[in-house]
Amino acid sequence: MKRALVLCGGGSRGAYEIGAWQALRELGVRLDGVYGTSIGALNAALVARGDVESARELWLNLTLSRIVTVEDPEDFAVGRMVANKRDVLPFLVENAKRLRMDITPLEALVRAECDEAKIRAGGMDFGVMTFRVPQLQGLPARLRDMEPGALPDWIIASASCFPIFPAKHIGGQRYIDGGYCDNLPIDMALADGADEVVAVELHPYDTHPEYARMPWLKRIRPRHSLGGFLDFNPKLLRRSLWLGYQDAMKVYGRFDGFLYTFRQLDALAVTPAARRFSRRLTDFDAEAMRRDTLRTGQPSNAPLLSALEAETDFKDLDWKGVWLRGLELCAQVMGFREDAIYDAQRLIAQLRAFCDARPVPEKLDEAALHEAWKQGPRQTFAILTRWLDHHDAFPPELARRLAELPRETAAAMFMRAVQ
C-alpha cells in the first residue's frame, strides 16, 4: 500500500500541520509521499527532510519578520480578519501598491530549511501545487521533474500569495500561490498512485467535500479557529501545534473527543449514563417542540439534540460519542481550554465541585433564570445542575426558555445522568 500525506495552505496556521506530523511519527504511520500547497508546500519539504524536532523549533520561533519585510507590520493585521486568500483578495488588489511586501526573508528561510539533497535522497514522492499566470492554470510541480537546485523556487512559487507577495519567475513563466487553484492537492497524490491519503486541513470545512466519505481518506482538521493567516503570535503557534497533534491522535483512536481531547474511555463503562442522558434530551426536546408547535403552528428543531450533534461529522453518534459530547458541552459552558488533554472522570469531579459549591435555588422560574444568566453561563449551568440534583426534572412551563439555553440545559442533564 502506498500512503501519502497532503498538506493544506493557510499561512501561519501551518503550525497545526507540524503537530499532526509529529503525531503520525509517534504512531508509526509510514509515508511514501508528501504534497502541499502554499505553507503546506514548505511543510511538505520539512516532512520529506524527516526532522520533526527541527520543524517544531522552526515553527515555535517563526515570526512575521522571518517571512516578509514590510514598511508597517500593522498593515497586515488584515490577515487576522479573513478566512482565506479568496476572501482577502479584493482588499489586497485595492491596496496592493500600499501593502508592499519584500519576501526576501521567506526566500532565505526556504533555502535554509529545505535540504534538497536530503529530500531527494529520501526517495519520497514529493509535489507542490502552483498557479501559472497569466494563463490562470494550475500546475502541479513534482520533485522528479524539477531541475536540480530548483526545489526552493517551486516552494516559494506555491506560497506566493499574489498580490501582496510578488509572482515567482521560473523558466520564463510566472507563478503565484497554488491555493488559487487547489489548496489541498489530494489529486496529485492520487495521480502518483497513492492508495491511502492522510489530508491535513487548516480550516473546519472540507476543501474537497467530494472525497469526504472515501474509505481511502483520513482527514485531520481543526474544530477551533487557528487564527489569521499572518498571525504569528507565539502562543497561537504553540496552541496550533498542540491541536494538530491532538486531532491526529484522535483520528487514529489514541485519544477521544470532538471539540476537546480526552484520554481513552471504556465505551461499555459510559454507555448506561449515555443512555440516561440521551433519554433526558429526547424527552425534553419532545416537550419543547410540542409547546412550540402549539404556539406557532410550525414544527421546530430539537434544541438539545441539535446542540449535542453540533461539531460532529455525523448524526448517528454511538453511545460513547453521546457521552463525550455531553461532557464537552459542560466544558464549553465552563470555558475550559480546548488545547489540553483531560481525564474525563477528573473533569467531572471538578465540575461537580463547582456546582456543589452553589446553593440549590428555592424556585426555578423566568426570574431566577434571568438572574443566573446575568452572572454568565457557568452560573446558569450550576443553578440548573443543582435544581436537577434535588428535583430531577425542570418545570414544564420553562421548556421554551430552557430551549433558548441548549448548552447549559443539556450540560446540567449530563451531570444528572452521570451521578
Side-chain angles (χ1 to χ4, degrees):
M1 183 183 71
K2 193 174 182 179
R3 182 185 295 113
L5 176 65
V6 181
L7 303 175
C8 186
S12 56
R13 305 181 187 107
Y16 180 90
E17 295 174 336
I18 299 303
W21 175 41
Q22 179 184 355
L24 296 176
R25 287 285 293 263
E26 293 183 15
L27 292 165
V29 177
R30 189 196 79 255
L31 299 174
D32 303 290
V34 59
Y35 303 83
T37 295
S38 198
I39 199 62
L42 172 59
N43 282 338
L46 298 178
V47 170
R49 191 181 68 178
D51 187 344
V52 69
E53 288 303 322
S54 292
R56 279 178 50 84
E57 285 303 309
L58 170 65
W59 272 99
L60 290 174
N61 293 285
L62 203 55
T63 61
L64 183 60
S65 64
R66 296 188 68 188
I67 303 296
V68 295
T69 300
V70 296
E71 293 181 357
D72 184 358
E74 285 303 310
D75 283 341
F76 299 96
V78 66
R80 294 191 289 270
M81 293 183 255
V82 297
N84 56 52
K85 287 180 283 293
R86 289 186 178 87
D87 292 340
V88 79
L89 185 57
F91 174 89
L92 297 177
V93 169
E94 182 180 346
N95 294 275
K97 291 183 178 179
R98 181 173 68 87
L99 300 180
R100 295 186 297 273
M101 272 195 177
D102 174 8
I103 65 167
T104 301
L106 173 62
E107 294 199 355
L109 183 148
V110 170
R111 296 186 190 284
E113 297 295 333
C114 298
D115 188 335
E116 182 172 340
K118 188 172 183 179
I119 291 172
R120 287 185 183 274
M124 189 180 285
D125 288 341
F126 180 93
V128 301
M129 178 59 67
T130 66
F131 191 60
R132 184 160 52 188
V133 292
Q135 295 90 341
L136 302 181
Q137 178 185 36
L139 180 74
R142 293 174 169 83
L143 181 63
R144 64 176 180 261
D145 300 324
M146 298 176 190
E147 293 290 331
L151 175 59
D153 290 331
W154 285 106
I155 292 172
I156 293 164
S158 181
S160 291
C161 183
F162 186 83
I164 56 171
F165 287 14
K168 182 66 177 175
H169 293 255
I170 303 175
Q173 294 286 332
R174 298 170 64 226
Y175 299 90
I176 64 173
D177 196 306
Y180 291 118
C181 171
D182 188 351
N183 210 34
L184 187 69
I186 292 175
D187 289 334
M188 286 185 70
L190 298 177
D192 283 356
D195 303 297
E196 180 179 317
V197 171
V198 181
V200 184
E201 297 267 16
L202 295 179
H203 316 90
Y205 55 82
D206 292 315
T207 303
H208 286 284
E210 69 273 20
Y211 295 145
R213 296 185 179 275
M214 292 295 100
W216 45 261
L217 178 65
K218 285 188 180 295
R219 294 176 300 153
I220 302 168
R221 61 177 179 171
R223 297 179 183 274
H224 305 277
S225 171
L226 301 179
F229 67 85
L230 290 177
D231 192 346
F232 289 91
N233 181 293
K235 291 183 179 179
L236 183 63
L237 295 180
R238 184 174 294 276
R239 171 180 173 272
S240 295
L241 272 164
W242 195 226
L243 287 175
Y245 176 86
Q246 293 175 5
D247 288 343
M249 285 293 192
K250 285 188 281 191
V251 166
Y252 281 86
R254 293 298 179 90
F255 292 139
D256 286 326
F258 299 93
L259 283 178
Y260 291 81
T261 302
F262 303 96
R263 303 195 187 280
Q264 280 187 306
L265 296 168
D266 182 341
L268 291 177
V270 301
T271 292
R275 290 180 180 275
R276 293 192 295 270
F277 175 48
S278 177
R279 181 60 183 267
R280 285 181 175 275
L281 295 182
T282 53
D283 286 350
F284 177 91
D285 278 355
E287 177 64 16
M289 293 168 67
R290 184 186 71 82
R291 288 173 174 266
D292 201 46
T293 301
L294 288 174
R295 182 177 63 86
T296 66
Q298 298 292 329
S300 60
N301 293 328
L304 303 195
L305 288 174
S306 294
L308 186 80
E309 292 170 347
E311 312 300 340
T312 66
D313 291 326
F314 43 86
K315 298 296 184 181
D316 298 324
L317 289 165
D318 60 15
W319 288 116
K320 184 167 77 169
V322 169
W323 194 95
L324 284 166
R325 282 297 295 140
L327 183 54
E328 288 188 339
L329 291 173
C330 296
Q332 283 183 280
V333 167
M334 294 291 290
F336 287 165
R337 288 177 51 185
E338 69 274 5
D339 60 342
I341 299 174
Y342 294 97
D343 178 275
Q345 295 305 325
R346 289 182 182 176
L347 185 58
I348 289 173
Q350 185 177 347
L351 293 165
R352 174 50 62 187
F354 175 83
C355 293
D356 286 350
R358 273 69 185 166
V360 180
E362 294 182 5
K363 186 178 182 181
L364 190 65
D365 55 15
E366 289 271 4
L369 277 177
H370 179 73
E371 197 62 32
W373 186 249
K374 286 197 300 184
Q375 300 178 57
R378 290 160 58 102
Q379 180 68 10
T380 305
F381 161 63
I383 291 300
L384 295 178
T385 298
R386 295 295 281 153
W387 178 268
L388 288 181
D389 288 344
H390 286 259
H391 300 279
D392 196 48
F394 294 125
E397 62 273 15
L398 281 182
R400 180 185 171 194
R401 181 69 182 94
L402 291 171
E404 297 172 353
L405 305 170
R407 286 184 181 175
E408 293 77 7
T409 302
M413 290 181 174
F414 175 80
M415 293 301 294
R416 180 61 176 165
V418 299
Q419 272 190 322

